[in-house]
mmCIF file with all atom_site columns, all heavy atoms in Angstrom:
data_model
loop_
_atom_site.group_PDB
_atom_site.id
_atom_site.type_symbol
_atom_site.label_atom_id
_atom_site.label_alt_id
_atom_site.label_comp_id
_atom_site.label_asym_id
_atom_site.label_entity_id
_atom_site.label_seq_id
_atom_site.pdbx_PDB_ins_code
_atom_site.Cartn_x
_atom_site.Cartn_y
_atom_site.Cartn_z
_atom_site.occupancy
_atom_site.B_iso_or_equiv
_atom_site.pdbx_formal_charge
_atom_site.auth_seq_id
_atom_site.auth_comp_id
_atom_site.auth_asym_id
_atom_site.auth_atom_id
_atom_site.pdbx_PDB_model_num
ATOM 1   N N   . ARG O 1 162 ? -48.061 31.972 -99.170  1.00 0.00 ? 162 ARG O N   1
ATOM 2   C CA  . ARG O 1 162 ? -49.169 31.089 -98.809  1.00 0.00 ? 162 ARG O CA  1
ATOM 3   C C   . ARG O 1 162 ? -50.506 31.810 -98.936  1.00 0.00 ? 162 ARG O C   1
ATOM 4   O O   . ARG O 1 162 ? -51.489 31.257 -99.462  1.00 0.00 ? 162 ARG O O   1
ATOM 5   C CB  . ARG O 1 162 ? -48.978 30.594 -97.377  1.00 0.00 ? 162 ARG O CB  1
ATOM 6   C CG  . ARG O 1 162 ? -50.081 29.659 -96.895  1.00 0.00 ? 162 ARG O CG  1
ATOM 7   C CD  . ARG O 1 162 ? -49.770 29.131 -95.496  1.00 0.00 ? 162 ARG O CD  1
ATOM 8   N NE  . ARG O 1 162 ? -50.829 28.269 -95.018  1.00 0.00 ? 162 ARG O NE  1
ATOM 9   C CZ  . ARG O 1 162 ? -51.924 28.681 -94.400  1.00 0.00 ? 162 ARG O CZ  1
ATOM 10  N NH1 . ARG O 1 162 ? -52.094 29.995 -94.193  1.00 0.00 ? 162 ARG O NH1 1
ATOM 11  N NH2 . ARG O 1 162 ? -52.850 27.827 -94.002  1.00 0.00 ? 162 ARG O NH2 1
ATOM 12  N N   . GLN O 1 163 ? -50.532 33.072 -98.465  1.00 0.00 ? 163 GLN O N   1
ATOM 13  C CA  . GLN O 1 163 ? -51.759 33.849 -98.594  1.00 0.00 ? 163 GLN O CA  1
ATOM 14  C C   . GLN O 1 163 ? -52.127 34.053 -100.057 1.00 0.00 ? 163 GLN O C   1
ATOM 15  O O   . GLN O 1 163 ? -53.309 33.980 -100.442 1.00 0.00 ? 163 GLN O O   1
ATOM 16  C CB  . GLN O 1 163 ? -51.582 35.212 -97.894  1.00 0.00 ? 163 GLN O CB  1
ATOM 17  C CG  . GLN O 1 163 ? -51.418 35.113 -96.384  1.00 0.00 ? 163 GLN O CG  1
ATOM 18  C CD  . GLN O 1 163 ? -52.646 34.533 -95.714  1.00 0.00 ? 163 GLN O CD  1
ATOM 19  O OE1 . GLN O 1 163 ? -53.769 34.752 -96.149  1.00 0.00 ? 163 GLN O OE1 1
ATOM 20  N NE2 . GLN O 1 163 ? -52.438 33.771 -94.643  1.00 0.00 ? 163 GLN O NE2 1
ATOM 21  N N   . SER O 1 164 ? -51.105 34.295 -100.900 1.00 0.00 ? 164 SER O N   1
ATOM 22  C CA  . SER O 1 164 ? -51.366 34.481 -102.337 1.00 0.00 ? 164 SER O CA  1
ATOM 23  C C   . SER O 1 164 ? -51.916 33.209 -102.949 1.00 0.00 ? 164 SER O C   1
ATOM 24  O O   . SER O 1 164 ? -52.851 33.245 -103.773 1.00 0.00 ? 164 SER O O   1
ATOM 25  C CB  . SER O 1 164 ? -50.068 34.895 -103.049 1.00 0.00 ? 164 SER O CB  1
ATOM 26  O OG  . SER O 1 164 ? -49.586 36.128 -102.547 1.00 0.00 ? 164 SER O OG  1
ATOM 27  N N   . LEU O 1 165 ? -51.347 32.049 -102.557 1.00 0.00 ? 165 LEU O N   1
ATOM 28  C CA  . LEU O 1 165 ? -51.833 30.771 -103.093 1.00 0.00 ? 165 LEU O CA  1
ATOM 29  C C   . LEU O 1 165 ? -53.264 30.500 -102.639 1.00 0.00 ? 165 LEU O C   1
ATOM 30  O O   . LEU O 1 165 ? -54.095 30.004 -103.431 1.00 0.00 ? 165 LEU O O   1
ATOM 31  C CB  . LEU O 1 165 ? -50.909 29.637 -102.642 1.00 0.00 ? 165 LEU O CB  1
ATOM 32  C CG  . LEU O 1 165 ? -49.509 29.618 -103.272 1.00 0.00 ? 165 LEU O CG  1
ATOM 33  C CD1 . LEU O 1 165 ? -48.653 28.543 -102.627 1.00 0.00 ? 165 LEU O CD1 1
ATOM 34  C CD2 . LEU O 1 165 ? -49.600 29.382 -104.774 1.00 0.00 ? 165 LEU O CD2 1
ATOM 35  N N   . LEU O 1 166 ? -53.565 30.817 -101.374 1.00 0.00 ? 166 LEU O N   1
ATOM 36  C CA  . LEU O 1 166 ? -54.934 30.624 -100.891 1.00 0.00 ? 166 LEU O CA  1
ATOM 37  C C   . LEU O 1 166 ? -55.914 31.519 -101.646 1.00 0.00 ? 166 LEU O C   1
ATOM 38  O O   . LEU O 1 166 ? -57.028 31.088 -102.004 1.00 0.00 ? 166 LEU O O   1
ATOM 39  C CB  . LEU O 1 166 ? -55.005 30.914 -99.387  1.00 0.00 ? 166 LEU O CB  1
ATOM 40  C CG  . LEU O 1 166 ? -54.301 29.913 -98.467  1.00 0.00 ? 166 LEU O CG  1
ATOM 41  C CD1 . LEU O 1 166 ? -54.337 30.401 -97.021  1.00 0.00 ? 166 LEU O CD1 1
ATOM 42  C CD2 . LEU O 1 166 ? -54.963 28.546 -98.580  1.00 0.00 ? 166 LEU O CD2 1
ATOM 43  N N   . HIS O 1 167 ? -55.508 32.774 -101.911 1.00 0.00 ? 167 HIS O N   1
ATOM 44  C CA  . HIS O 1 167 ? -56.361 33.681 -102.665 1.00 0.00 ? 167 HIS O CA  1
ATOM 45  C C   . HIS O 1 167 ? -56.571 33.174 -104.089 1.00 0.00 ? 167 HIS O C   1
ATOM 46  O O   . HIS O 1 167 ? -57.697 33.231 -104.629 1.00 0.00 ? 167 HIS O O   1
ATOM 47  C CB  . HIS O 1 167 ? -55.717 35.072 -102.686 1.00 0.00 ? 167 HIS O CB  1
ATOM 48  C CG  . HIS O 1 167 ? -56.519 36.082 -103.457 1.00 0.00 ? 167 HIS O CG  1
ATOM 49  N ND1 . HIS O 1 167 ? -57.731 36.576 -103.016 1.00 0.00 ? 167 HIS O ND1 1
ATOM 50  C CD2 . HIS O 1 167 ? -56.268 36.689 -104.665 1.00 0.00 ? 167 HIS O CD2 1
ATOM 51  C CE1 . HIS O 1 167 ? -58.209 37.430 -103.912 1.00 0.00 ? 167 HIS O CE1 1
ATOM 52  N NE2 . HIS O 1 167 ? -57.332 37.527 -104.915 1.00 0.00 ? 167 HIS O NE2 1
ATOM 53  N N   . ALA O 1 168 ? -55.488 32.669 -104.704 1.00 0.00 ? 168 ALA O N   1
ATOM 54  C CA  . ALA O 1 168 ? -55.600 32.131 -106.061 1.00 0.00 ? 168 ALA O CA  1
ATOM 55  C C   . ALA O 1 168 ? -56.513 30.912 -106.082 1.00 0.00 ? 168 ALA O C   1
ATOM 56  O O   . ALA O 1 168 ? -57.315 30.728 -107.014 1.00 0.00 ? 168 ALA O O   1
ATOM 57  C CB  . ALA O 1 168 ? -54.211 31.769 -106.596 1.00 0.00 ? 168 ALA O CB  1
ATOM 58  N N   . HIS O 1 169 ? -56.402 30.057 -105.034 1.00 0.00 ? 169 HIS O N   1
ATOM 59  C CA  . HIS O 1 169 ? -57.270 28.886 -104.965 1.00 0.00 ? 169 HIS O CA  1
ATOM 60  C C   . HIS O 1 169 ? -58.733 29.301 -104.859 1.00 0.00 ? 169 HIS O C   1
ATOM 61  O O   . HIS O 1 169 ? -59.617 28.717 -105.514 1.00 0.00 ? 169 HIS O O   1
ATOM 62  C CB  . HIS O 1 169 ? -56.868 28.038 -103.757 1.00 0.00 ? 169 HIS O CB  1
ATOM 63  C CG  . HIS O 1 169 ? -57.740 26.841 -103.549 1.00 0.00 ? 169 HIS O CG  1
ATOM 64  N ND1 . HIS O 1 169 ? -57.689 25.727 -104.366 1.00 0.00 ? 169 HIS O ND1 1
ATOM 65  C CD2 . HIS O 1 169 ? -58.703 26.587 -102.611 1.00 0.00 ? 169 HIS O CD2 1
ATOM 66  C CE1 . HIS O 1 169 ? -58.573 24.846 -103.949 1.00 0.00 ? 169 HIS O CE1 1
ATOM 67  N NE2 . HIS O 1 169 ? -59.204 25.339 -102.886 1.00 0.00 ? 169 HIS O NE2 1
ATOM 68  N N   . THR O 1 170 ? -58.987 30.311 -104.023 1.00 0.00 ? 170 THR O N   1
ATOM 69  C CA  . THR O 1 170 ? -60.364 30.804 -103.885 1.00 0.00 ? 170 THR O CA  1
ATOM 70  C C   . THR O 1 170 ? -60.877 31.359 -105.210 1.00 0.00 ? 170 THR O C   1
ATOM 71  O O   . THR O 1 170 ? -62.032 31.117 -105.600 1.00 0.00 ? 170 THR O O   1
ATOM 72  C CB  . THR O 1 170 ? -60.409 31.891 -102.799 1.00 0.00 ? 170 THR O CB  1
ATOM 73  O OG1 . THR O 1 170 ? -59.902 31.365 -101.571 1.00 0.00 ? 170 THR O OG1 1
ATOM 74  C CG2 . THR O 1 170 ? -61.831 32.370 -102.584 1.00 0.00 ? 170 THR O CG2 1
ATOM 75  N N   . THR O 1 171 ? -60.022 32.105 -105.911 1.00 0.00 ? 171 THR O N   1
ATOM 76  C CA  . THR O 1 171 ? -60.415 32.668 -107.212 1.00 0.00 ? 171 THR O CA  1
ATOM 77  C C   . THR O 1 171 ? -60.724 31.568 -108.208 1.00 0.00 ? 171 THR O C   1
ATOM 78  O O   . THR O 1 171 ? -61.721 31.631 -108.944 1.00 0.00 ? 171 THR O O   1
ATOM 79  C CB  . THR O 1 171 ? -59.292 33.568 -107.749 1.00 0.00 ? 171 THR O CB  1
ATOM 80  O OG1 . THR O 1 171 ? -59.013 34.592 -106.777 1.00 0.00 ? 171 THR O OG1 1
ATOM 81  C CG2 . THR O 1 171 ? -59.712 34.210 -109.058 1.00 0.00 ? 171 THR O CG2 1
ATOM 82  N N   . LEU O 1 172 ? -59.865 30.525 -108.257 1.00 0.00 ? 172 LEU O N   1
ATOM 83  C CA  . LEU O 1 172 ? -60.098 29.416 -109.184 1.00 0.00 ? 172 LEU O CA  1
ATOM 84  C C   . LEU O 1 172 ? -61.390 28.675 -108.838 1.00 0.00 ? 172 LEU O C   1
ATOM 85  O O   . LEU O 1 172 ? -62.125 28.234 -109.740 1.00 0.00 ? 172 LEU O O   1
ATOM 86  C CB  . LEU O 1 172 ? -58.906 28.443 -109.133 1.00 0.00 ? 172 LEU O CB  1
ATOM 87  C CG  . LEU O 1 172 ? -57.593 28.955 -109.741 1.00 0.00 ? 172 LEU O CG  1
ATOM 88  C CD1 . LEU O 1 172 ? -56.468 27.954 -109.503 1.00 0.00 ? 172 LEU O CD1 1
ATOM 89  C CD2 . LEU O 1 172 ? -57.759 29.200 -111.241 1.00 0.00 ? 172 LEU O CD2 1
ATOM 90  N N   . HIS O 1 173 ? -61.653 28.541 -107.534 1.00 0.00 ? 173 HIS O N   1
ATOM 91  C CA  . HIS O 1 173 ? -62.898 27.887 -107.138 1.00 0.00 ? 173 HIS O CA  1
ATOM 92  C C   . HIS O 1 173 ? -64.101 28.691 -107.632 1.00 0.00 ? 173 HIS O C   1
ATOM 93  O O   . HIS O 1 173 ? -65.098 28.121 -108.118 1.00 0.00 ? 173 HIS O O   1
ATOM 94  C CB  . HIS O 1 173 ? -62.940 27.754 -105.617 1.00 0.00 ? 173 HIS O CB  1
ATOM 95  C CG  . HIS O 1 173 ? -64.147 27.031 -105.112 1.00 0.00 ? 173 HIS O CG  1
ATOM 96  N ND1 . HIS O 1 173 ? -64.335 25.674 -105.281 1.00 0.00 ? 173 HIS O ND1 1
ATOM 97  C CD2 . HIS O 1 173 ? -65.251 27.491 -104.445 1.00 0.00 ? 173 HIS O CD2 1
ATOM 98  C CE1 . HIS O 1 173 ? -65.485 25.314 -104.739 1.00 0.00 ? 173 HIS O CE1 1
ATOM 99  N NE2 . HIS O 1 173 ? -66.062 26.398 -104.214 1.00 0.00 ? 173 HIS O NE2 1
ATOM 100 N N   . GLY O 1 174 ? -64.019 30.041 -107.540 1.00 0.00 ? 174 GLY O N   1
ATOM 101 C CA  . GLY O 1 174 ? -65.102 30.882 -108.046 1.00 0.00 ? 174 GLY O CA  1
ATOM 102 C C   . GLY O 1 174 ? -65.250 30.756 -109.557 1.00 0.00 ? 174 GLY O C   1
ATOM 103 O O   . GLY O 1 174 ? -66.373 30.727 -110.096 1.00 0.00 ? 174 GLY O O   1
ATOM 104 N N   . VAL O 1 175 ? -64.118 30.672 -110.266 1.00 0.00 ? 175 VAL O N   1
ATOM 105 C CA  . VAL O 1 175 ? -64.167 30.505 -111.721 1.00 0.00 ? 175 VAL O CA  1
ATOM 106 C C   . VAL O 1 175 ? -64.834 29.188 -112.084 1.00 0.00 ? 175 VAL O C   1
ATOM 107 O O   . VAL O 1 175 ? -65.628 29.094 -113.040 1.00 0.00 ? 175 VAL O O   1
ATOM 108 C CB  . VAL O 1 175 ? -62.745 30.591 -112.307 1.00 0.00 ? 175 VAL O CB  1
ATOM 109 C CG1 . VAL O 1 175 ? -62.753 30.205 -113.777 1.00 0.00 ? 175 VAL O CG1 1
ATOM 110 C CG2 . VAL O 1 175 ? -62.187 32.002 -112.136 1.00 0.00 ? 175 VAL O CG2 1
ATOM 111 N N   . ASP O 1 176 ? -64.503 28.119 -111.323 1.00 0.00 ? 176 ASP O N   1
ATOM 112 C CA  . ASP O 1 176 ? -65.136 26.820 -111.577 1.00 0.00 ? 176 ASP O CA  1
ATOM 113 C C   . ASP O 1 176 ? -66.646 26.915 -111.404 1.00 0.00 ? 176 ASP O C   1
ATOM 114 O O   . ASP O 1 176 ? -67.419 26.307 -112.185 1.00 0.00 ? 176 ASP O O   1
ATOM 115 C CB  . ASP O 1 176 ? -64.569 25.768 -110.614 1.00 0.00 ? 176 ASP O CB  1
ATOM 116 C CG  . ASP O 1 176 ? -63.126 25.405 -110.953 1.00 0.00 ? 176 ASP O CG  1
ATOM 117 O OD1 . ASP O 1 176 ? -62.714 25.648 -112.110 1.00 0.00 ? 176 ASP O OD1 1
ATOM 118 O OD2 . ASP O 1 176 ? -62.427 24.893 -110.068 1.00 0.00 ? 176 ASP O OD2 1
ATOM 119 N N   . ASP O 1 177 ? -67.089 27.645 -110.386 1.00 0.00 ? 177 ASP O N   1
ATOM 120 C CA  . ASP O 1 177 ? -68.536 27.811 -110.190 1.00 0.00 ? 177 ASP O CA  1
ATOM 121 C C   . ASP O 1 177 ? -69.169 28.522 -111.387 1.00 0.00 ? 177 ASP O C   1
ATOM 122 O O   . ASP O 1 177 ? -70.241 28.108 -111.877 1.00 0.00 ? 177 ASP O O   1
ATOM 123 C CB  . ASP O 1 177 ? -68.803 28.607 -108.915 1.00 0.00 ? 177 ASP O CB  1
ATOM 124 C CG  . ASP O 1 177 ? -68.422 27.815 -107.664 1.00 0.00 ? 177 ASP O CG  1
ATOM 125 O OD1 . ASP O 1 177 ? -68.330 26.570 -107.761 1.00 0.00 ? 177 ASP O OD1 1
ATOM 126 O OD2 . ASP O 1 177 ? -68.222 28.447 -106.604 1.00 0.00 ? 177 ASP O OD2 1
ATOM 127 N N   . TYR O 1 178 ? -68.501 29.579 -111.876 1.00 0.00 ? 178 TYR O N   1
ATOM 128 C CA  . TYR O 1 178 ? -69.032 30.305 -113.031 1.00 0.00 ? 178 TYR O CA  1
ATOM 129 C C   . TYR O 1 178 ? -69.070 29.413 -114.270 1.00 0.00 ? 178 TYR O C   1
ATOM 130 O O   . TYR O 1 178 ? -70.020 29.456 -115.071 1.00 0.00 ? 178 TYR O O   1
ATOM 131 C CB  . TYR O 1 178 ? -68.198 31.555 -113.305 1.00 0.00 ? 178 TYR O CB  1
ATOM 132 C CG  . TYR O 1 178 ? -68.408 32.660 -112.303 1.00 0.00 ? 178 TYR O CG  1
ATOM 133 C CD1 . TYR O 1 178 ? -67.330 33.271 -111.674 1.00 0.00 ? 178 TYR O CD1 1
ATOM 134 C CD2 . TYR O 1 178 ? -69.697 33.094 -111.961 1.00 0.00 ? 178 TYR O CD2 1
ATOM 135 C CE1 . TYR O 1 178 ? -67.511 34.282 -110.744 1.00 0.00 ? 178 TYR O CE1 1
ATOM 136 C CE2 . TYR O 1 178 ? -69.878 34.104 -111.030 1.00 0.00 ? 178 TYR O CE2 1
ATOM 137 C CZ  . TYR O 1 178 ? -68.789 34.694 -110.426 1.00 0.00 ? 178 TYR O CZ  1
ATOM 138 O OH  . TYR O 1 178 ? -68.966 35.686 -109.513 1.00 0.00 ? 178 TYR O OH  1
#
Side-chain angles (χ1 to χ4, degrees):
R162 180 176 179 274
Q163 294 297 326
S164 298
L165 290 174
L166 291 174
H167 179 70
H169 177 73
T170 303
T171 303
L172 290 174
H173 183 71
V175 171
D176 289 339
D177 292 340
Y178 287 129

